[in-house]
Amino acid sequence: MGKELSEDTNFNISIKTLIAIGAGMASLIGMWFAIQADIEEAKLLPEPEISRTEYDLKDQLIRETIMNTGKKVEENSDALKNIDEKLFEIISKWKNIYYVWYLY
């Protein structure tokens, strides 16, 4: 069976291992405090302002995108109508061919 842990159990840890564990813990604690300080500093910063020029440019870009999308929809609608007309012509021709063949 395995050994049980008790008050008399001994662990052998080298000085190098203890130093490495201490250094790792110190760096983790240091990073935690640095992050907390950065968070507190960020809370005190003012809200970023959007200039009127930036707002107008974004608004113009959005409006142009909407207009371009509308034009593309219209173009696709016209193309779909052309495809529909051609398909109707093809089906009509095949019906005529079928009826002529069927009558023979």
Side-chain angles (χ1 to χ4, degrees):
M1 289 250 169
K3 295 183 181 180
E4 292 184 18
L5 290 178
S6 67
E7 293 178 7
D8 299 329
T9 304
N10 292 328
F11 289 103
N12 292 328
I13 297 177
S14 69
I15 298 293
K16 286 182 180 180
T17 305
L18 287 175
I19 292 172
I21 291 171
M25 289 182 64
S27 62
L28 284 174
I29 292 169
M31 284 192 303
W32 187 81
F33 279 109
I35 289 172
Q36 292 300 317
D38 288 345
I39 290 171
E40 290 302 318
E41 181 183 347
K43 287 180 183 178
L44 300 175
L45 293 175
E47 292 281 330
E49 292 184 21
I50 298 175
S51 69
R52 184 65 190 176
T53 305
E54 183 180 1
Y55 177 80
D56 289 341
L57 289 173
K58 286 183 179 180
D59 183 56
Q60 180 183 0
L61 178 64
I62 290 169
R63 290 177 189 276
E64 287 176 3
T65 302
I66 291 170
M67 295 302 291
N68 289 339
T69 303
K71 289 177 186 176
K72 288 179 183 177
V73 168
E74 289 176 15
E75 291 171 1
N76 288 340
S77 177
D78 293 341
L80 185 59
K81 286 179 186 175
N82 290 338
I83 291 170
D84 189 39
E85 290 171 1
K86 289 179 183 178
L87 185 59
F88 180 76
E89 289 174 13
I90 291 170
I91 291 172
S92 297
K93 287 180 184 178
W94 278 103
K95 280 184 181 178
N96 291 338
I97 292 172
Y98 175 74
Y99 287 135
V100 170
W101 180 78
Y102 182 73
L103 293 175
Y104 278 123

